[in-house]
Amino acid sequence: MRGANTYLGSIGTTIFTVMSALATEHGSINLGQGFPDTEGPADVVKAAADALKDGRNQYPPMPGVPELRKAVAAANKRFYGLDIDGMTEVTVTSGATEAITACLMAVLDPGDEVVLIEPLYDTYVPVVRMLGAIPRIVRLTPPHWELPRDALAAAFGPKTKAILFNSPMNPCSKVFTADELAFIAGLVERHDTYAICDEVYEHLIFDGLKHIPLMTLPGMRERTMRIGSAGKTFSLTGWKVGYVTAGAALTPLVQKAHQNLTFTTAPNLQRAVAVGLGKDDAYFASLARDLQDRRDLLAKGLASVGFSVLPSHGSYFVTTDFAPLGFNGDDVAFCRHITEKAGVTAIPVSAFYDDPDAPRHYARFAFCKRPEVLEEAIARLKRHFGH
Ligand code: GLN
């Protein structure tokens, strides 16, 4: 039989699926794939259940139900002071994963270049390549993950169509500063490009830091596509409801991409997410505070096991350097080893690099779990590493 798609034939199954399957096989505590182990807010779940029973179960409007588009616009105003028209500037997608693809499709032609920042979320490079575009990757270096401004400026050129980046950032939990964002905005404007901003962890931010959407910076309103995820904001990752906020000129293109990807998203979930986005400020504050406590618990515990724990300012994750434990092997071997022998699963950070010479002594642990689960994971690692 003739070969099918060459590129897909050349890549592996996503690390999140691989490690979750391994965790299940070995009955280990899964601190790999990032998902909470408790339900999201009861009122939001109830709104979804109720919405199933009121006779609106046929295809919702392609761009999203009006309730949710308006709620996304209102949240943009409430949290960031952005004036957004929900009916012309918001698109609801089936998760941020679809949103990322739709935004890339909205602006890229084959041969265009896209600036990406490594470590990067695992769908970015495959989607850019499948669209016939060319990734130009700039690397952040641990432990501080500072933006290498000269390298970033050098990555922009005449063929650059867009930059795609993530803040707060998975896996390294960096939150881009106002100064770094201003630098990026300068490049975007100077090179007349677009910015795709993966802001799925916008509300999962710690230590009193504030999330700043690039879209709020001068000159960025019409150039930016800002992506959110109900999965993260409401701890309901299985729902796969995402949203894109973009200018009125770009939005029809995002929607034409969406109409050719999934066309629409389950109506009851959309309506429930609209209820969620209307929750009071206390909900959003306690979401971040609660996760910050869990970050502290896990970071302290991993340090007591002997890991060198890197700072985490947002997202679900803490990155650790396992070199001090004296393990003889790379990060993939390490994550497999602790799954099989210690009963705790993590994600090898090299999975977030496109480059074979990625760093190979970092492992990412998720802290979006119940405290007793985190404590048991720490106890298992301590037992295994002999402290
Ligand atoms: N974003 C999640 C993580 O980084 C995984 C999502 C997925 O499995 N597709 O763990």
Side-chain angles (χ1 to χ4, degrees):
M1 190 127 67
R2 290 177 65 119
N5 181 267
T6 315
Y7 179 67
L8 291 177
S10 77
I11 64 173
T13 300
T14 168
I15 191 70
F16 308 117
T17 297
V18 170
M19 295 313 293
S20 282
L22 202 66
T24 305
E25 184 187 331
H26 292 279
S28 84
I29 297 178
N30 190 355
L31 305 186
Q33 190 178 29
F35 59 89
D37 62 352
T38 47
E39 278 287 302
D43 53 349
V44 177
V45 174
K46 182 172 184 305
D50 291 348
L52 278 177
K53 299 196 198 105
D54 68 1
R56 283 173 59 184
N57 285 305
Q58 307 309 330
Y59 293 129
M62 181 274 280
V65 301
E67 297 97 308
L68 179 52
R69 280 186 282 158
K70 287 179 186 160
V72 170
N76 271 300
K77 180 76 180 166
R78 165 155 65 134
F79 295 110
Y80 312 116
L82 283 165
D83 286 304
I84 301 294
D85 179 344
M87 300 317 284
T88 59
E89 298 183 307
V90 173
T91 308
V92 178
T93 58
S94 295
T97 307
E98 189 207 337
I100 292 160
T101 300
C103 291
L104 288 166
M105 289 174 77
V107 294
L108 293 182
D109 285 317
D112 286 344
E113 293 183 0
V114 184
V115 176
L116 302 173
I117 297 179
E118 203 174 54
L120 32 71
Y121 189 57
D122 77 337
T123 71
Y124 295 178
V125 168
V127 174
V128 168
R129 292 222 168 97
M130 283 190 285
L131 293 172
I134 299 153
R136 289 278 172 242
I137 300 176
V138 176
R139 185 182 286 193
L140 306 183
T141 310
H144 300 299
W145 314 103
E146 277 145 13
L147 191 65
R149 296 189 185 201
D150 291 346
L152 187 68
F156 278 76
K159 290 192 176 163
T160 308
K161 185 64 85 62
I163 179 171
L164 161 57
F165 72 104
N166 170 221
S167 181
M169 195 168 170
N170 178 8
C172 64
S173 312
K174 172 190 173 68
V175 172
F176 282 70
T177 64
D179 209 46
E180 288 172 327
L181 293 169
F183 185 77
I184 293 172
L187 290 171
V188 167
E189 198 147 46
R190 191 154 354 115
H191 292 273
D192 188 20
T193 66
Y194 297 101
I196 301 167
C197 298
D198 178 345
E199 300 178 21
V200 298
Y201 299 106
E202 61 188 317
H203 294 293
L204 313 185
I205 189 162
F206 316 133
D207 307 318
L209 295 176
K210 263 185 75 69
H211 175 66
I212 307 171
L214 185 78
M215 188 176 244
T216 60
L217 272 68
M220 291 299 103
R221 176 72 170 74
E222 303 304 319
R223 293 183 182 278
T224 306
M225 286 154 275
R226 190 177 102 68
I227 297 169
S229 167
K232 317 292 180 197
T233 298
F234 302 106
S235 310
L236 293 161
T237 60
W239 280 18
K240 299 295 289 185
V241 177
Y243 19 89
V244 180
T245 303
L250 271 174
T251 291
L253 291 155
V254 175
Q255 292 180 355
K256 284 182 207 171
H258 168 66
Q259 79 189 8
N260 285 295
L261 286 166
T262 60
F263 181 76
T264 193
T265 298
N268 67 315
L269 300 182
Q270 291 195 52
R271 292 165 60 201
V273 171
V275 171
L277 286 173
K279 285 173 80 68
D280 59 14
D281 291 351
Y283 166 76
F284 294 88
S286 75
L287 176 71
R289 202 177 326 110
D290 185 51
L291 268 172
Q292 178 174 317
D293 290 346
R294 291 163 200 232
R295 174 207 61 181
D296 290 344
L297 197 169
L298 185 64
K300 200 159 147 256
L302 291 172
S304 74
V305 173
F307 289 89
S308 167
V309 179
L310 277 62
S312 163
H313 298 300
S315 83
Y316 283 151
F317 311 111
V318 66
T319 294
T320 59
D321 181 349
F322 58 82
L325 295 172
F327 179 78
N328 185 18
D330 69 6
D331 58 347
V332 175
F334 180 81
C335 291
R336 187 169 273 275
H337 173 84
I338 59 172
T339 300
E340 292 171 357
K341 305 288 191 229
V344 178
T345 297
I347 299 284
V349 169
S350 62
F352 297 84
Y353 289 77
D354 186 51
D355 190 331
D357 67 72
R360 300 218 175 250
H361 50 100
Y362 294 96
R364 186 198 82 174
F365 291 85
F367 48 76
C368 46
K369 307 290 176 184
R370 285 165 292 146
E372 59 271 29
V373 172
L374 298 175
E375 273 155 12
E376 173 59 20
I378 294 158
R380 288 183 183 193
L381 288 167
K382 270 195 180 150
R383 267 201 303 278
H384 180 71
F385 288 106
H387 288 272

